[in-house]
Amino acid sequence: MKISQNMKALVLEKIRKPLKLMELPIPRPNSGQILIKVHACGVCRTDLHIIDGDLPNPKLPLILGHQIVGTVVAAGDNVRGFELGHKVGVPWLGYTDGTCPYCRSGRENLCDNPLFTGYTIDGGYAQYAVANHEYCFAIPEGYSNVEAAPLLCAGLIGYRSYRLAMRDGDAKRLGIYGFGAAAHIITQIALYQGKEVYAFTRPGDRKAQEFALRLGAVWAGDSNQKPPKRLDAALIFAPVGAIIPIALRATSKGGAVVSGGIHMSEIPSFPYNILWEERVIRSVANMTRQDGEEFLRIAPMIPIRTEVTTYPLEDANKALDSLRRGKIEGSAVLNISD
Ligand SMILES: [Zn+2]
Ligand SMILES: [Zn+2]
């Protein structure tokens, strides 16, 4: 494959500013890295949190994007397992030190010295990207580029959240607050495993509620509504702290309320009795490579289908704006090349 000298990229120069279309030199892969021609890159709520300055110390200037689907077009030294022409996926976790106490105890998602794609290293809102091959995944068969992109964060971190919420194998009724990219994927896993899904959306968002019902949720309503039955577990994908006490109130004894996002508005105080009886609140941070391997093995078996709204690379700001306004059904994805 012939590689030209420059590439187009959408660049965040300063926080709270729109991304700027720029012509940049194509990066060169260092040892252990692969150079990827980017076909598609998913747009995630975390990208909004980075733009808004909710997350500390992003690399600046920065190329956002941590759900990259592309083809390997060059490789540095010491790359194993990926050949030129292979289709690869690049997720949020871009590097870990492998030596800190968290890495050594199988919790690399909590690494003390991590790097994150599209946050502390450049991501995929560009025609090319480099990535450490040890953190890349093979893309399962049966998915187009744009359909595969949301599997890499919405799917993968959603799956980790789901697994932690349903740690009690008997849990049946799952509430999902915030019915966007992650929720539409996790609903399919939950149904496949014989669970019931209760979908909660922004108050009055009938379109999202219909979307949830169409996917097989047994009930859909406003986030401040009480579900018809008590939930065994709740997942929160909306960045709204006020939902935590609401979800606790809807959850039965011993149930878990799991927040899947990286940032949330402040949680209001609440009485102890809604937490009592061994209810649990927990967050989910990042992902391990094991989460990725496991999820990408399961996805084609179900098979998980993703609903995507695509935008050309140049329209990344438009995609982000639609996501911010809750206008995306399923996932927003940049369609960058064939
Ligand atoms: Zn994400
Ligand atoms: Zn570590």
Side-chain angles (χ1 to χ4, degrees):
M1 208 172 294
K2 189 176 171 292
I3 302 168
S4 52
Q5 291 299 310
N6 286 326
M7 66 172 188
K8 280 186 205 159
L10 267 282
V11 180
L12 178 70
E13 289 189 302
K14 280 186 184 161
I15 60 167
R16 293 188 205 95
K17 293 274 181 234
L19 309 184
K20 207 163 127 187
L21 179 63
M22 295 175 85
E23 185 106 346
L24 296 175
I26 292 172
R28 282 162 191 262
N30 289 325
S31 176
Q33 288 184 326
I34 49 180
L35 174 67
I36 297 160
K37 180 177 201 265
V38 180
H39 302 310
C41 186
V43 177
C44 176
R45 181 164 295 283
T46 298
D47 301 339
L48 290 175
H49 293 313
I50 294 168
I51 294 170
D52 292 349
D54 294 329
L55 304 189
N57 307 318
K59 168 190 179 289
L60 287 176
L62 170 70
I63 300 173
L64 287 162
H66 55 267
Q67 306 185 84
I68 305 173
V69 176
T71 297
V72 181
V73 290
D77 299 335
N78 303 314
V79 170
R80 261 167 245 108
F82 290 99
E83 306 288 332
L84 300 192
H86 272 188
K87 189 74 75 73
V88 289
V90 186
W92 171 247
L93 189 70
Y95 168 83
T96 56
D97 59 12
T99 56
C100 78
Y102 299 99
C103 285
R104 281 190 282 125
S105 57
R107 294 179 291 166
E108 65 180 1
N109 61 306
L110 302 177
C111 178
D112 280 333
N113 299 291
L115 291 172
F116 296 112
T117 311
Y119 176 31
T120 53
I121 46 179
D122 281 332
Y125 285 19
Q127 291 175 310
Y128 290 87
V130 288
N132 184 332
H133 79 286
E134 290 180 305
Y135 296 83
C136 295
F137 299 112
I139 296 291
E141 299 285 321
Y143 289 92
S144 70
N145 298 324
V146 293
E147 284 169 347
L151 299 177
L152 292 160
C153 177
L156 211 155
I157 295 181
Y159 176 68
R160 182 178 177 85
S161 313
Y162 170 74
R163 212 161 37 79
L164 293 173
M166 304 300 265
R167 76 218 141 96
D168 167 10
D170 292 333
K172 179 147 177 83
R173 289 190 287 272
L174 173 70
I176 305 183
Y177 290 82
F179 210 87
H184 97 287
I185 292 174
I186 295 317
T187 294
Q188 297 175 57
I189 296 188
L191 296 182
Y192 178 75
Q193 296 185 345
K195 315 296 183 189
E196 286 177 3
V197 172
Y198 295 75
F200 299 82
T201 70
R202 295 184 199 210
D205 190 348
R206 299 284 168 259
K207 225 179 134 212
Q209 291 169 12
E210 277 161 27
F211 179 49
L213 293 171
R214 187 148 43 82
L215 284 172
V218 291
W219 178 89
D222 298 348
S223 57
N224 52 12
Q225 255 176 291
K226 233 178 145 176
K229 291 184 179 163
R230 273 200 180 260
L231 308 171
D232 296 320
L235 289 178
I236 303 179
F237 294 121
V240 182
I243 291 177
I244 296 248
I246 292 174
L248 275 174
R249 283 196 165 90
T251 301
S252 56
K253 290 186 266 190
V257 171
V258 176
S259 172
I262 196 167
H263 175 81
M264 193 175 235
S265 58
E266 207 163 282
I267 303 168
S269 69
F270 55 83
Y272 178 62
N273 72 345
I274 65 172
L275 177 63
W276 191 61
E277 296 169 323
E278 304 202 336
R279 291 178 184 83
V280 174
I281 307 172
R282 74 175 296 167
S283 62
V284 168
N286 314 313
M287 48 162 282
T288 65
R289 283 171 279 181
Q290 202 188 330
D291 294 328
E293 306 285 349
E294 197 175 310
F295 173 71
L296 292 173
R297 198 169 51 238
I298 296 170
M301 281 163 44
I302 294 179
I304 291 171
R305 300 266 58 113
T306 57
E307 300 219 8
V308 297
T309 305
T310 60
Y311 296 82
L313 176 62
E314 290 78 1
D315 284 349
N317 286 309
K318 257 190 217 164
L320 287 160
D321 188 53
S322 298
L323 178 62
R324 188 186 292 283
R325 290 185 296 113
K327 296 292 173 211
I328 305 282
E329 197 154 281
S331 302
V333 176
L334 303 178
N335 189 357
I336 298 172
S337 70
D338 292 332

